[in-house]
Amino acid sequence: MAKAFIELCYACRTGDVENADRLISTGINLNDVDEFDNSPLFLASLCGHEELVKLLLERGAICDRDRYEGARCIYGALTDSIRDILLAYDISKAVDISQPFATHISNLFRDKRLGTDDISFNFGNEMTLSGHKFILKARLPLLLKEAHIQQNESNIIHIQDNIPREIFEIFLQFIYLIPVLHKIKSTDYGILLNLSDEFNTPLLYDFLHKSRHMVDPAEKSTLMADYQYRVTEFARKELRTFVSNNIIANVLEWPTSTYYDSTSILKLQTCSAYPDLLISSVNCSGVRRTYPCHLAVLIRCDYFKIMFSNPFSEKKYYSAEKRENKAEMLPLLSLPCHNFEELEILIKYVYYDNADISWEYAIDVIKLASFVLSDRLKTMAAAVITQSKEILESISIFEILSLAWEADIEKLEHFSAKHLAYNLDDYIDTQEFEDAILKSSQRIKSREETDTIELIADMRYYLLEKYGVDMDDLIILEKNNADEKFLKSIGLFDFSQDMQSINAILQRLSLRV
């Protein structure tokens, strides 16, 4: 059994939504089962993690009440609210627009406001549809080849007269991951089968063949849910291949000590990726890399979305006229990176939702994600840090705490506080610990009687957890704080000693909790 699936099952037991989201993005089959025949959805339902149940359903977990596993999830749900969510769930809408990757690809076809389309499909009588060359390159390369787009750089594909616009639109919607399987009419099957055969879309072809003569609505609905999930994962694989073969493979690299090579730049912007934007960065060794990219996917990060949707100077360089004139330079944006690995992690994330982040790069990914305003990537990288056993061998816990404050990641704040609490003897006498307490106190915007120092409050919580102390114990502790023998007899002495050590630092710094 794959390690990632085992980790997902554990996250479903503990309710770790952020880590589950990161693991799901790697392409795990959510409807698989562990060695005890438990699916992730069953584990999340059984353990009462409502937000995780919603996440799994949104990402494609199937809860078919007519099947054993679906009924088991419903009847095993810990709470009535989870049971209601599962009962109300419509399996025909599995992997719908709530999935971030599928949602964004779908919206590229639905929402034309940013004007990222660069190719049109003509049906005569001025009836057209529009799309993106890079999507076709990734998912329908035979269509581009047949239309001779690669040879003459045309922006128009003329569709045969015997193909109705409405049916070809369904075909394109399928390519753009819009859930349309339930919309296909019996009269559409013949043309769609021909299109899927001609342009090599095997999943659509298989679905049409299997569903064509199905009569039972429940059976057909289950088939739709299964294929919609498979289609989404297959599209991710296609975009993964596209990124590898057309973006990473075409990267332009040169030392910063030399000038831009205009010939190489022009060659890059007319490469097989069909880019409309160039992303550049300089690593710690002084080497610059430039990647051919697409605004259509980069706008998953608010940094790019804001830059090109507001009246900034960058927008004027992105007009259709500019993009059609190959002599004009495409927009070239530079991003701050320590290594190229984190930039490529960002590229892979926006194109196909990959969050396979090694702990060695997690901190740099968080910094880059903060810069480009991608909260989800930032959260996924933070989840890697909290799950890593090696990271504290190379990076100080105080660096992680500082990053948590800087990037506003509460999960990392708690991770740092818990580590400090559970290993207090290693840090209590260090200057870094004292500095961290002081910095935490300075984060309080206005001092009031109810103000608390976040780091101390969090550490106190984890010290309570460490020593198994509850609120009733605290009342006893307050009344018998000086009675060492009594505190030892009820197991509160170690907790009391740790809190006294922390309070001594607070007094020395003239701070109050």
Side-chain angles (χ1 to χ4, degrees):
M1 185 176 298
K3 178 183 177 184
F5 184 78
I6 295 173
E7 291 179 359
L8 176 61
C9 290
Y10 180 75
C12 291
R13 289 188 184 94
T14 60
D16 191 343
V17 177
E18 292 87 354
N19 199 41
D21 189 15
R22 176 184 69 85
L23 292 164
I24 291 169
S25 74
T26 64
I28 292 174
N29 181 2
L30 297 184
N31 297 302
D32 203 351
V33 294
D34 65 12
E35 59 183 323
F36 304 107
D37 290 330
N38 297 323
S39 69
L41 183 61
F42 173 75
L43 293 171
S45 303
L46 181 70
C47 297
H49 303 305
E50 185 172 322
E51 292 304 312
L52 197 44
V53 168
K54 292 177 181 177
L55 176 72
L56 291 166
L57 291 173
E58 289 168 357
R59 299 295 192 274
I62 296 176
C63 180
D64 184 353
R65 72 189 72 175
D66 295 325
R67 292 184 173 185
Y68 170 73
E69 183 61 33
R72 188 166 174 248
C73 286
I74 291 169
Y75 294 118
L78 183 66
T79 66
D80 289 339
S81 61
I82 290 178
R83 190 171 295 108
D84 290 341
I85 291 170
L86 295 172
L87 287 169
Y89 176 65
D90 183 354
I91 61 174
S92 69
K93 296 179 180 178
V95 197
D96 207 335
I97 59 172
S98 297
Q99 181 165 204
F101 165 73
T103 299
H104 188 77
I105 299 299
S106 297
N107 283 340
L108 293 182
F109 190 83
R110 290 176 167 134
D111 189 351
K112 307 297 184 181
R113 284 175 294 181
L114 267 178
T116 59
D117 297 16
D118 57 5
I119 196 164
S120 297
F121 305 91
N122 279 17
F123 297 85
N125 299 322
E126 299 183 356
M127 293 191 302
T128 63
L129 294 169
S130 61
H132 304 78
K133 287 182 182 179
F134 82 93
I135 292 289
L136 299 183
K137 177 77 173 183
R139 305 218 59 216
L140 280 180
L142 291 180
L143 178 58
L144 280 181
K145 185 176 181 180
E146 184 178 288
H148 305 293
I149 295 301
Q150 292 168 316
Q151 284 75 23
N152 60 24
E153 297 183 350
S154 171
N155 294 320
I156 299 175
I157 294 179
H158 296 281
I159 304 302
Q160 299 174 19
D161 293 338
N162 62 340
I163 301 177
R165 181 186 186 278
E166 295 76 15
I167 297 181
F168 191 79
E169 184 172 6
I170 290 175
F171 184 63
L172 281 182
Q173 287 175 334
F174 173 83
I175 296 301
Y176 276 82
L177 303 180
I178 298 173
V180 291
L181 298 180
H182 63 287
K183 295 181 180 180
I184 298 174
K185 303 174 184 176
S186 58
T187 53
D188 301 337
Y189 273 76
I191 295 176
L192 286 174
L193 278 167
N194 289 336
L195 286 172
S196 59
D197 183 42
E198 181 179 359
F199 298 120
N200 192 26
T201 56
L203 286 178
L204 178 59
Y205 190 86
D206 290 347
F207 170 79
L208 292 171
H209 262 294
K210 290 180 179 179
S211 66
R212 192 171 194 175
H213 302 296
M214 276 187 177
V215 177
D216 185 351
E219 185 181 2
K220 192 169 185 177
S221 184
T222 301
L223 184 71
M224 288 179 190
D226 178 45
Y227 267 82
Q228 193 65 56
Y229 171 79
R230 291 170 61 186
V231 165
T232 301
E233 291 309 305
F234 190 70
R236 289 181 55 192
K237 291 178 182 178
E238 290 178 319
L239 282 163
R240 179 194 297 268
T241 300
F242 172 82
V243 168
S244 176
N245 294 345
N246 299 279
I247 294 181
I248 306 298
N250 281 312
V251 67
L252 183 61
E253 181 176 306
W254 70 94
T256 54
S257 57
T258 61
Y259 290 104
Y260 279 100
D261 181 346
S262 58
T263 302
S264 297
I265 291 290
L266 283 173
K267 183 178 178 181
L268 182 64
Q269 66 185 37
T270 56
C271 72
S272 60
Y274 300 111
D276 55 20
L277 192 67
L278 304 179
I279 298 297
S280 184
S281 184
V282 178
N283 72 357
C284 55
S285 300
V287 176
R288 179 181 294 279
R289 279 188 185 178
T290 302
Y291 297 80
C293 294
H294 306 86
L295 180 62
V297 290
L298 288 172
I299 56 174
R300 289 189 68 186
C301 304
D302 286 344
Y303 171 82
F304 299 102
K305 191 171 186 178
I306 293 169
M307 179 179 292
F308 287 95
S309 61
N310 282 298
F312 294 159
S313 59
E314 284 81 356
K315 188 173 182 180
K316 68 182 181 181
Y317 294 112
Y318 196 76
S319 66
E321 293 78 14
K322 293 276 186 182
R323 286 186 282 126
E324 289 177 7
N325 185 355
K326 297 301 182 182
E328 292 281 354
M329 278 284 294
L330 294 178
L332 176 61
L333 301 181
S334 183
L335 296 180
C337 292
H338 188 258
N339 294 293
F340 295 129
E341 282 80 4
E342 58 260 31
L343 180 54
E344 293 190 3
I345 286 171
L346 172 65
I347 290 172
K348 293 172 183 178
Y349 166 75
V350 295
Y351 276 89
Y352 53 91
D353 220 29
N354 181 71
D356 186 10
I357 305 168
S358 173
W359 67 266
E360 293 95 336
Y361 304 115
I363 285 182
D364 288 327
V365 169
I366 287 175
K367 293 177 181 178
L368 180 58
S370 296
F371 181 84
V372 298
L373 306 177
S374 176
D375 287 340
R376 183 164 175 259
L377 180 58
K378 186 170 66 174
T379 300
M380 288 178 168
V384 171
I385 291 175
T386 63
Q387 298 299 311
S388 172
K389 297 178 181 179
E390 304 95 340
I391 195 163
L392 289 176
E393 296 175 4
S394 303
I395 301 169
S396 164
I397 190 64
F398 299 108
E399 290 182 63
I400 295 175
L401 179 60
S402 180
L403 177 65
W405 287 333
E406 179 184 340
D408 192 22
I409 306 176
E410 186 177 356
K411 187 180 184 73
L412 285 187
E413 289 186 50
H414 286 284
F415 171 78
S416 302
K418 183 173 183 177
H419 179 82
L420 290 170
Y422 274 70
N423 301 276
L424 187 60
D425 290 344
D426 296 334
Y427 300 104
I428 192 68
D429 296 323
T430 65
Q431 185 62 46
E432 291 89 346
F433 183 55
E434 190 170 306
D435 292 342
I437 293 175
L438 185 61
K439 185 174 181 180
S440 182
S441 71
Q442 294 168 346
R443 286 169 52 81
I444 301 174
K445 294 181 180 179
S446 59
R447 293 292 296 176
E448 297 177 2
E449 289 301 320
T450 56
D451 285 339
T452 59
I453 299 173
E454 286 179 315
L455 177 59
I456 300 301
D458 290 342
M459 285 187 63
R460 184 171 182 265
Y461 170 83
Y462 288 113
L463 285 172
L464 291 171
E465 178 185 87
K466 176 182 178 180
Y467 294 114
V469 179
D470 58 29
M471 296 308 297
D472 291 337
D473 293 330
L474 286 180
I475 296 173
I476 296 173
L477 179 61
E478 290 174 0
K479 294 180 178 178
N480 302 274
N481 198 36
D483 192 337
E484 178 179 332
K485 184 177 180 180
F486 176 74
L487 293 178
K488 285 183 175 180
S489 69
I490 60 173
L492 291 179
F493 181 73
D494 290 335
F495 172 79
S496 174
Q497 289 295 101
D498 282 352
M499 287 306 304
Q500 286 180 28
S501 298
I502 293 174
N503 289 332
I505 296 176
L506 295 175
Q507 291 177 2
R508 187 162 64 250
L509 295 173
S510 300
L511 298 173
R512 70 178 188 273
V513 182

